[in-house]
Amino acid sequence: MRSASAEPDTGTRARIRDAAVLRFAKSGFGASVRSIAAEAGVSPALVIHHFGSKDELHAACDEHVLAWIVETKRQNMGKAARGQLLEVLAQADDMAPLVGYVLRSLQAGGSVGRTFVEHMIDDAEQYTAEAVADGIVRPSRDERARVRYLVYSSLGALMLSVTMNPPEDPEDVNAAVRAFTDDLYLPMLEMFTEGFLTTRRMLDDYLLYVSDPPGTGGEAEDTDGTAA
Amino acid sequence: MRSASAEPDTGTRARIRDAAVLRFAKSGFGASVRSIAAEAGVSPALVIHHFGSKDELHAACDEHVLAWIVETKRQNMGKAARGQLLEVLAQADDMAPLVGYVLRSLQAGGSVGRTFVEHMIDDAEQYTAEAVADGIVRPSRDERARVRYLVYSSLGALMLSVTMNPPEDPEDVNAAVRAFTDDLYLPMLEMFTEGFLTTRRMLDDYLLYVSDPPGTGGEAEDTDGTAA
DNA sequence: GTCGCGGCTGAACGCGTGTTTAGTGTTGAA
DNA sequence: TTCAACACTAAACACGCGTTCAGCCGCGAC
């Protein structure tokens, strides 16, 4: 039942799907079927006729955007390194609606956003492993946790920035992304290069704490820290 | 017309307002007036009777939560240092709905979220200035930008984490917050203490770039780096 | 008393939603 | 030509929404 390759990317159905992606990116997933139909230049009934329901249309959009993501990644393997995937994606200006769609899905906790984050984490883990091997990046006590922290931080910061300063014309998502990176590239680089704290005390204290938590004595203590 | 102190925090109106805050936190601002009325044990008409419209109810909730924030901050000046405001807020378990409300407002780009971020930035700027003066934190080339980066990163990461792993019972927002910090505290501390990169090259290159951008020669060039 | 008044409600209104239905025009095969 | 399948639409349906309206109840003032 995979319709990914069975159907062409032209024709009315694809036009409706693209209009839906655009409208969802612009107005969120609450956008009405009627507005999507208007954008595609068809009747609302035809939208339902082709996709069955709004939810299935949403799912079709998710699938389409996801396929686009993996394709773009495949073509930009090298450039996408060091977690700059989003910036690479945003460079192709005509792809801006898809970036907006991803951000909407991130915001709504949709499946596209979820798998997008997972992809980014998996990729970043691979890239940082290479960078550590090359001596460019310091090793971590928990590589997976660090990668998750980095992805959540950068993606979350971007998301928050776009939410707080939404572009007037939603076509300009990439402009917003660029403004974000322009603003925060220096402090990020500073943090990455020089760190933030001058003393190791907090880190050492924490390491001591997790390796030998308070209340030691051999009793089976659960991991919940409510008693602390 | 300030109703903050003119009206008591008991009575039907306050009960409706609290129910609305809870409902908004649980289901987002799309929650229906009817569901709020049901939660408060009154008729939908009474909600409108007291607040005029759903938008005005939303505004009243914003005002209430905002007042609660500044009050909590006032009481926890010391503890709230080092950007741990949200954790402090989440400690009082009965206040969980309000934390959820803030997260919803952050997600929706509402006024509460916006001023909350501004407050956090202002506070963090003050705290980091003190910490720099005390020699605990390294100075930055652009303190304001660094503070914005830190707030956006940490808040965005938290937001993303909660969005991707929503608590089953929305009462457990603080549990989700705690799970988030438990997971990512080590990598954050690592990053803050030891940094990420082993070499200064990227930072130095960037600093060289911004102080002497390519295409020098005196012509008035805009700041857009599309040519790069 | 009985009046007024404010808290409060059930029922409805108008609207926008997703979806269905009945029917149009077109196109290609038999 | 005739039939069937197809893309497509106008109109309506059922429903949930925010909101309004008319009126009920209980309580303090006169």
Side-chain angles (χ1 to χ4, degrees):
Chain A
M1 265 293 187
R2 274 274 154 267
S3 60
S5 62
E7 300 188 12
D9 248 21
T10 59
T12 309
R13 190 189 143 99
R15 202 172 75 249
I16 294 174
R17 193 235 299 125
D18 292 345
V21 169
L22 186 63
R23 197 108 277 295
F24 282 151
K26 279 187 184 178
S27 315
F29 296 110
S32 69
V33 171
R34 282 171 173 82
S35 72
I36 293 169
E39 183 124 3
V42 298
S43 71
L46 189 62
V47 176
I48 301 298
H49 170 70
H50 274 301
F51 293 91
S53 72
K54 185 185 177 180
D55 280 350
E56 291 176 80
L57 169 61
H58 186 166
C61 291
D62 277 7
E63 193 178 347
H64 177 62
V65 172
L66 227 35
W68 168 77
I69 287 176
V70 299
E71 175 61 17
T72 307
K73 273 175 55 178
R74 202 184 58 72
Q75 292 179 358
N76 293 277
M77 271 299 192
K79 284 183 264 177
R82 286 178 300 281
Q84 295 176 331
L85 176 55
L86 249 181
E87 289 83 338
V88 171
L89 299 187
Q91 275 175 4
D93 278 7
D94 52 334
M95 293 307 188
L98 300 192
V99 177
Y101 189 95
V102 172
L103 287 178
R104 288 284 181 191
S105 184
L106 240 29
Q107 200 169 21
S111 71
V112 166
R114 184 167 274 101
T115 64
F116 182 73
V117 169
E118 289 169 7
H119 282 198
M120 281 203 71
I121 291 179
D122 290 344
D123 291 355
E125 189 166 26
Q126 176 184 340
Y127 297 138
T128 54
E130 295 173 5
V132 168
D134 291 349
I136 299 173
V137 164
R138 318 179 91 95
S140 169
R141 290 157 187 81
D142 185 343
E143 297 287 355
R144 185 77 182 175
R146 178 171 70 174
V147 159
R148 290 210 308 133
Y149 169 76
L150 287 174
V151 168
Y152 272 74
S153 294
S154 51
L155 224 46
L158 173 63
M159 203 175 122
L160 198 53
S161 167
V162 173
T163 303
M164 302 300 267
N165 314 91
E168 304 191 9
D169 184 352
E171 301 271 354
D172 302 343
V173 186
N174 36 26
V177 171
R178 191 146 38 206
F180 165 77
T181 56
D182 284 353
D183 271 13
L184 301 184
Y185 194 65
L186 171 63
M188 191 195 73
L189 223 46
E190 246 187 19
M191 285 280 312
F192 280 17
T193 308
E194 305 176 330
F196 181 70
L197 302 168
T198 60
T199 163
R200 299 188 52 85
R201 265 203 55 197
M202 292 191 195
L203 177 57
D204 291 337
D205 284 356
Y206 178 78
L207 291 173
L208 208 65
Y209 169 81
V210 294
S211 71
D212 182 21
T216 45
E219 77 273 27
E221 195 179 11
D222 65 19
T223 59
D224 185 7
T226 47
Chain B
M1 261 297 186
R2 275 275 153 268
S3 60
S5 60
E7 300 189 12
D9 248 22
T10 58
T12 310
R13 191 189 143 98
R15 203 171 75 249
I16 294 175
R17 192 234 300 123
D18 291 345
V21 169
L22 187 63
R23 198 76 238 155
F24 283 148
K26 279 186 184 177
S27 315
F29 296 111
S32 70
V33 171
R34 282 171 173 82
S35 72
I36 294 169
E39 183 123 4
V42 300
S43 71
L46 189 62
V47 177
I48 302 298
H49 171 71
H50 274 303
F51 292 92
S53 72
K54 185 187 177 179
D55 280 349
E56 292 177 79
L57 170 61
H58 186 167
C61 290
D62 277 7
E63 193 177 347
H64 177 62
V65 172
L66 227 35
W68 167 78
I69 288 176
V70 301
E71 174 61 15
T72 307
K73 274 176 54 179
R74 203 184 56 73
Q75 292 180 359
N76 293 279
M77 272 297 191
K79 282 183 265 176
R82 286 178 300 280
Q84 295 176 331
L85 175 56
L86 249 180
E87 291 84 337
V88 170
L89 299 187
Q91 276 175 3
D93 278 8
D94 51 336
M95 292 307 186
L98 301 192
V99 177
Y101 188 96
V102 172
L103 288 178
R104 287 284 181 192
S105 184
L106 239 31
Q107 201 169 18
S111 71
V112 165
R114 185 166 274 100
T115 63
F116 182 73
V117 169
E118 289 169 6
H119 282 197
M120 280 203 71
I121 291 180
D122 289 345
D123 291 356
E125 189 166 27
Q126 176 185 340
Y127 297 138
T128 55
E130 294 173 3
V132 168
D134 290 349
I136 299 172
V137 164
R138 317 179 93 96
S140 169
R141 289 157 189 81
D142 185 343
E143 297 286 358
R144 185 75 180 176
R146 178 171 69 175
V147 158
R148 290 209 309 134
Y149 170 75
L150 286 173
V151 168
Y152 271 73
S153 295
S154 51
L155 223 46
L158 173 63
M159 202 176 124
L160 198 53
S161 168
V162 174
T163 304
M164 303 299 270
N165 315 91
E168 304 191 10
D169 183 353
E171 302 270 353
D172 301 344
V173 187
N174 36 26
V177 172
R178 191 147 37 207
F180 166 77
T181 56
D182 284 353
D183 272 12
L184 301 184
Y185 194 65
L186 171 62
M188 191 195 73
L189 223 46
E190 246 186 18
M191 284 281 312
F192 281 16
T193 308
E194 305 176 331
F196 181 70
L197 303 168
T198 60
T199 163
R200 298 187 54 85
R201 265 202 57 196
M202 291 191 196
L203 176 56
D204 290 337
D205 284 356
Y206 178 78
L207 291 174
L208 209 64
Y209 169 81
V210 294
S211 70
D212 182 20
T216 43
E219 78 272 27
E221 195 181 12
D222 67 18
T223 59
D224 185 10
T226 46

